[in-house]
Structure formats: structure tokens, C-alpha cells
Amino acid sequence: MSCDVPRYLVPFHPKRIPHHFADVLIIGGGIAGLRAAMEIDPRLSLLVITKDAMEQSNSAFAQGGIASVIDPEDNFASHVEDTLAAGANLCDREVVEMVVREAPQHIRQLIDWGTNFDTEHGELMLGREGGHSHRRIVHALGDATGHEVMRAMIQRARSTLDAQIWPNTFTIDLLTHEGRCRGALVWHAQHGRTFVWAKQTILCTGGAGQIYRETTNPEVATGDGVALAYRAGAEVRDMEFMQFHPTVLYIAGGSRSLITEAMRGEGARLIDSTGRRFMPDYDERAELAPRDVVSHAIVAQMEKTRQPSVFLNLSHLDPERVRKRFPGIARTCAEFGIDIATDPIPVRPGAHYMIGGVAVDHGGQTTLPGLWAAGEVTASGLHGANRLASNSLLEGLVYGAHAGAGASAAAHAETDSFRAIPLENAPAEPHDEPLDLADIRNSLKSLMWRASGVRRHGQQLADAAQTIRRWCGYVLSRQLADPQGWELQNMLTIAGLMVESALEREESRGVHLRTDFPQADDEHWRRHLTVVRRE
Ligand SMILES: Cc1cc2nc3c(=O)[nH]c(=O)nc-3n(C[C@H](O)[C@H](O)[C@H](O)COP(=O)(O)OP(=O)(O)OC[C@H]3O[C@@H](n4cnc5c(N)ncnc54)[C@H](O)[C@@H]3O)c2cc1C
């Protein structure tokens, strides 16, 4: 990135800071972090850190479900082909095959751990979502899969793991020495800044939807993990690919709730403000086309009709079945006077899933020795240039398990030392002028939405890159004192990486739509863009 990103955000000295020792440190307690935790040998000491309450994560918000070949009529080859087709020639086929084949065992395991998936006549109910050619989405509580899966996983973690869990603890930076990750510098409500020395560290910090004005992601999703891995020297890649969910509830003053893809799978149609069904004009798969196609079509139709949204219409379906299948969405919409079974639901795209992230190999190992990663914080090669619906909880399970097993084995192989490394970061020059952090945060979110949203253009991206560089210049050079400030510094860092990668990729592929380069260009761009911070 062309602006200066400091190695550490805050000053510290080893004689003036508490120290904590663990064999394995897991940063993040969503599906990837908890799945990793289940793999850590109980003889090792394990510390799990989450920046908010354990219950606050993208995982807990997941609605539609988890993709897995369960139906005897379905097969692995079909799930693989669907994933590759959505990924627009950028998936790693070996990774896709590995994840798809491991999926059924993870579903069985979740059931064994107490997850109550929806069933019909004693069999798992299987939903269908855009881009899938079979019904293969297991779901729970209708449209609250993440809530149920995380309930069961948190309960299992609390009852079976001999781990320390520190909620409400912000990871500021990864600690590195002699080319290895040695743990993290965290901010703990009681002990303040603390060194956590760990033999192995697993990063499971989730996504970054919060850097956009319109997003489905909860407050915790500010991309901290990518920023702190980047500062520590790990390779980051595919940052130009941010997936926008096509159908986010758009009611002034209301929360930007996601309207699950499963609704289109059950037959919901997209209509514009004139009541016209428009998806067949854009793609023969109509409402079941992959997310990027549907998002692009909605934005085009909003421009054509000069309206701030389009609508989902279910009025041609059985009203009782609709309300029963989507109870959560029905409740939310009812609060705004909308009956989902009879009224059109206003929707537009919103930032949803960070496809790019910290590069990992099949085992979840990053390019920085001692650092592993799993889940949405990573770029594993599964999603290519566009994630297929319901493949991400699955990725968190598969890579969480791999990273956990790998980190556990590596930690076992290391002897205990209980020695702090004399790392030090000097205080920066004090600044007189206070910063309005909330103002910069809001400006950044609006800028990202305008310049690096569903459609991008070279000139807008270049202007945005320059603005972000200017903001980085005076925000990253300060040593701020609390999580709100560190979050903003992380958001600026990854916004810079995203915009510069989007500017560099002069083609349209998957979720990355450049209006000045509308075609895919396999000859030059069928490759990943990687970035590493240089000292
Ligand atoms: C509304 C919504 C619906 C979705 N529906 C589906 C679906 O149906 N199917 C599907 O497959 N995917 C779905 N997704 C995507 C999926 O939920 C996520 O990709 C997945 O849950 C990510 O899991 P994770 O464990 O990587 O991260 P998360 O679940 O986001 O967990 C991140 C963890 O990291 C912690 N953390 C972050 N930063 C720090 C820090 N600085 N210090 C300490 N801790 C930190 C957080 O506190 C949290 O515990 C949906 C996402 C959303 C937002």
C-alpha cells in the first residue's frame, strides 16, 4: 500500500505491561474460532479472545444455512462445479474439492454437538439458494441458522473446553520477533494493554462489512484481523473482491437486515417500482443467478427507474408457508408495517462478505510462521472472485478444524520457555489538534460505498485511493488510546488495500465490476493480487 502503515499502533515497553502465557491463542470466537478451539489438545493451555461478547459475530447473524451434499440425488461433483462457476475462474479447484468433501462430516458433528437443524419427516430439510443446482442448504430455526449453530457451539465450548475465554478484549497487534508470530498485544478491560505470548496464534476475526455505509454485518466486522496481519508482514490477497448481498432490507431508519437468498430459492421474485419482474432480462437463471449477477442487475434497475430500491415479492406463494419458513424476517418487516406474504419488501444491495483476506494454505497456515488463520478473515482460494451462497460457514468449519489441528501439533512440538521477548515501541510525538474519529469513520464508509461499491470506475477509485492515503497520513501516524481509534486505523488500512487492488485489477470478474473494463480478461487477470507490507 502506498501510504505508511506503522508496524505497531501503540507504544509499549515490556517492563511496564502485564504478561500472559498460552500455548495457543485464538483471536475470534465465531464459527471458525470455536471450531479451531475444539481441535486444540486439552493438555495445552488455550486462550480465546473476542472483542465483544462471544455471542456477537457474523456467524451468529447467518441466516440461510450451510451448504453440504446430503441428498442422495445430489453429488460432490455438482457442489464443486457450482462453487467453481460462481468463483469466475479464480477458485483453487483442490481447495474447493477438499471443502466440499469434508462438508457432510461437519454437519454430522454439529448435530452431535447439539445443533437442531430443521427437519421434515425425520430428515434434514434442504433449502436451495442462488447458484446451487440442488437443494443442499441445511438450516435451523427457519432463517436463523447462525444463531442456533453458535448457541450449540458456545455451549459445547463452555462445557467441554479447558480454555480461558476473554470476551470484550481488543487485539491491537500481533507480536513478531525474528520472522515469527509470538502472540499478540491486546487491550483487556481490567489489565489494560497486555502481552499475550503464544507458541501458536490462530486469527479468526471475521469480515469487514462495516467499512461500507450499507452493510449486513454487525458492528464487530471492521476487518481488524487483515489489518493486524498486514502490519505483521503476512501476505494478504484478493482484497478487491467484496461481495454485496443483493437483497438487504431498505427502510429509512430501520436496520439493514439481510433478506436471505433462501427466499428467492423458495420462489420470491424481484420486481421494480413499476411492479415489473426484471431478473429474466439480465440472466436466464433469473432470481437464482449468483449474487454478483443479481446485485449488478438490481443496481442497473434502480438506475433505470431512478428509485433507491427494488422489491421482493412473495404474494404468489402460500402465505402460511412463507410466514412459517421465514419467521425472523417476517417479524422484522412487521415492525415496519410490511407483511412479507402479501406486501412487496424494499431491498437493495449491501456489503456482505469479504472474499479477500490473509492468504492461507490448505492447512490454514499463513505466510508468517506461527500464525494460522481461518474463516472470513482469510483468502483460502475457496471462493475465487465470488462466494457461492452458504459456503462460508462451511469454510469456517473446515479451515477452523485444519488450523486448530495444525496449531495444536505445532504448539506440542515447542518446549515451554515462559520468557517475554524484549519488544518495544516508542511513543510518537504528541498532537495538539484532536481528531473527530466518528466523522472520519462516517466519511470513510460513504466514500467506500460511492467509489468501491457494486460498480467501480478507475477515476473514482484513483480519487478514493488518494483521499484514503491523505486520511491515513494523519490518522495512522497517531497513537490512539482506545478500541474505537484502533478500529478506525484498521478500517483505513484495509480500505486502502481494497481500493488500490480494485484500481489495479483492470477487468470485471465475479463481484468486481469495473464500468471502464466491463469484460473479464483471462489472459492478463486470471491471477491473484497479493500485498505484503515492507519494513
Ligand atoms: C447477516 C448475515 C447472514 C449470513 N448468512 C450466511 C449463511 O446463511 N450461510 C453462510 O455460509 N454464511 C453466511 N454469512 C457469512 C458468515 O456468517 C460469515 O462469513 C462467517 O460467520 C464468518 O465466521 P468467522 O468465524 O470467520 O467470523 P465471525 O463469526 O465474524 O467472528 C469474528 C470474531 O472475531 C472477533 N474479533 C474481531 N476483531 C477482533 C479484535 N480486534 N480483537 C479480538 N477479537 C476480534 C469477534 O469478536 C468475533 O468473535 C452471513 C453473514 C451475515 C452478516
Side-chain angles (χ1 to χ4, degrees):
M1 188 169 146
S2 34
C3 75
D4 278 347
V5 175
R7 170 61 192 93
Y8 292 107
L9 291 183
V10 296
F12 51 82
H13 189 283
K15 289 189 181 165
R16 293 184 213 113
I17 202 165
H19 296 260
H20 182 93
F21 292 87
D23 289 318
V24 179
L25 166 65
I26 297 180
I27 306 171
I31 197 163
L34 290 192
R35 187 60 193 80
M38 311 288 188
E39 289 297 320
I40 306 302
D41 187 318
R43 289 168 295 174
L44 295 170
S45 68
L46 168 64
L47 172 63
V48 180
I49 285 176
T50 64
K51 84 168 162 184
D52 202 309
M54 178 82 103
E55 288 73 15
Q56 279 299 321
S57 62
N58 270 1
S59 300
F61 274 62
Q63 294 184 350
I66 309 178
S68 172
V69 173
I70 305 275
D71 183 353
E73 304 274 296
D74 194 2
N75 57 72
F76 291 140
S78 164
H79 189 180
V80 167
E81 288 313 316
D82 290 345
T83 305
L84 295 174
N89 265 343
L90 214 61
C91 298
D92 178 333
R93 181 182 266 275
E94 274 182 33
V95 168
V96 176
E97 285 179 352
M98 175 185 86
V99 171
V100 163
R101 284 180 179 279
E102 291 183 21
Q105 80 200 40
H106 283 282
I107 303 296
R108 282 194 296 275
Q109 205 165 42
L110 286 177
I111 295 169
D112 289 346
W113 291 346
T115 308
N116 295 309
F117 287 117
D118 296 331
T119 54
E120 202 170 37
H121 314 301
E123 302 285 333
L124 283 173
M125 258 173 106
L126 298 175
R128 183 161 175 201
E129 295 189 343
H132 286 277
S133 43
H134 278 88
R135 285 191 167 265
R136 62 168 75 100
I137 317 297
V138 293
H139 48 83
L141 304 173
D143 53 7
T145 307
H147 182 81
E148 169 59 12
V149 168
M150 291 312 292
R151 179 203 59 75
M153 287 191 80
I154 291 172
Q155 200 170 1
R156 177 153 180 108
R158 290 201 169 123
S159 61
T160 64
L161 290 182
D162 185 18
Q164 289 191 63
I165 298 176
W166 291 0
N168 302 308
T169 302
F170 192 97
T171 305
I172 306 170
D173 264 308
L174 295 170
L175 297 169
T176 49
H177 183 61
E178 294 176 344
R180 286 188 66 81
C181 180
R182 309 286 176 162
L185 170 66
V186 308
W187 181 87
H188 185 281
Q190 269 115 47
H191 351 124
R193 286 174 205 176
T194 304
F195 276 148
V196 176
W197 299 104
K199 293 176 183 169
Q200 302 292 322
T201 302
I202 312 178
L203 199 55
C204 303
T205 46
Q210 282 293 328
I211 67 166
Y212 284 87
R213 198 187 72 206
E214 304 289 334
T215 181
T216 61
N217 289 193
E219 293 283 316
V220 289
T222 51
D224 300 339
V226 174
L228 52 94
Y230 176 71
R231 286 196 293 277
E235 183 181 288
V236 169
R237 73 173 200 204
D238 295 339
M239 291 302 286
E240 65 277 33
F241 298 118
M242 166 58 83
Q243 184 175 59
F244 295 86
H245 196 287
T247 54
V248 181
L249 187 62
Y250 183 68
I251 300 176
S255 70
R256 299 291 188 255
S257 299
L258 178 151
I259 308 288
T260 172
E261 195 133 5
M263 208 175 240
R264 280 174 281 133
E266 296 295 333
R269 292 177 184 154
L270 278 163
I271 55 173
D272 65 18
S273 53
T274 67
R276 194 167 154 276
R277 185 182 179 205
F278 57 87
M279 272 314 299
D281 303 347
Y282 293 91
D283 193 285
E284 60 186 16
R285 291 161 292 185
E287 283 81 2
L288 290 183
R291 286 181 177 174
D292 56 328
V293 177
V294 182
S295 288
H296 298 165
I298 291 176
V299 170
Q301 202 65 17
M302 280 162 46
E303 275 172 12
K304 257 191 209 164
T305 54
R306 295 169 187 264
Q307 293 295 320
S309 74
V310 295
F311 301 86
L312 270 170
N313 180 26
L314 294 91
S315 60
H316 53 289
L317 304 175
D318 172 10
E320 279 322 300
R321 186 176 157 82
V322 165
R323 291 187 197 109
K324 192 165 165 229
R325 175 74 178 85
F326 304 107
I329 295 167
R331 255 194 317 277
T332 305
C333 287
E335 285 185 26
F336 297 97
I338 295 171
D339 179 347
I340 63 165
T342 54
D343 302 324
I345 310 169
V347 291
R348 61 188 270 171
H352 185 53
Y353 183 85
M354 182 176 69
I355 292 173
V358 184
V360 287
D361 67 12
H362 294 201
Q365 211 159 2
T366 73
T367 57
L368 178 65
L371 181 67
W372 308 72
E376 193 168 339
V377 69
T378 66
S380 68
L382 173 66
H383 308 303
N386 183 22
R387 175 187 72 119
L388 182 65
S390 290
N391 266 355
S392 45
L393 290 173
L394 176 59
E395 183 189 39
L397 289 167
V398 170
Y399 274 87
H402 288 204
S408 181
H412 251 305
E414 274 179 62
T415 47
D416 287 333
S417 75
F418 303 111
R419 280 184 48 207
I421 296 161
L423 292 179
E424 193 179 335
N425 193 39
E429 292 292 312
H431 292 262
D432 293 334
E433 192 60 29
L435 278 184
D436 183 343
L437 300 182
D439 185 38
I440 302 169
R441 190 178 173 119
N442 288 336
S443 304
L444 175 69
K445 286 160 79 95
S446 293
L447 177 70
M448 288 301 284
W449 185 245
R450 281 196 312 275
S452 194
V454 176
R455 292 160 170 237
R456 293 109 185 253
H457 184 277
Q459 190 54 52
Q460 276 175 312
L461 288 167
D463 292 346
Q466 201 178 19
T467 306
I468 292 169
R469 269 198 296 275
R470 203 173 60 244
W471 291 339
C472 283
Y474 58 81
V475 180
L476 296 192
S477 58
R478 298 206 178 198
Q479 288 175 338
L480 302 172
D482 58 25
Q484 199 200 358
W486 305 323
E487 256 181 20
L488 176 65
Q489 291 175 316
N490 290 336
M491 290 165 78
L492 282 167
T493 303
I494 67 160
L497 296 174
M498 282 178 172
V499 166
E500 292 192 6
S501 301
L503 181 59
E504 189 176 343
R505 183 175 286 280
E506 293 185 330
E507 64 154 358
S508 292
R509 182 183 297 275
V511 296
H512 174 67
L513 175 66
R514 284 279 299 258
T515 49
D516 47 347
F517 294 97
Q519 304 302 327
D521 174 359
D522 272 356
E523 194 190 334
H524 299 102
W525 292 106
R526 194 176 169 192
R527 61 187 173 86
H528 300 281
L529 296 181
T530 57
V531 261
V532 180
R533 176 180 173 275
R534 303 274 165 228
E535 287 295 333

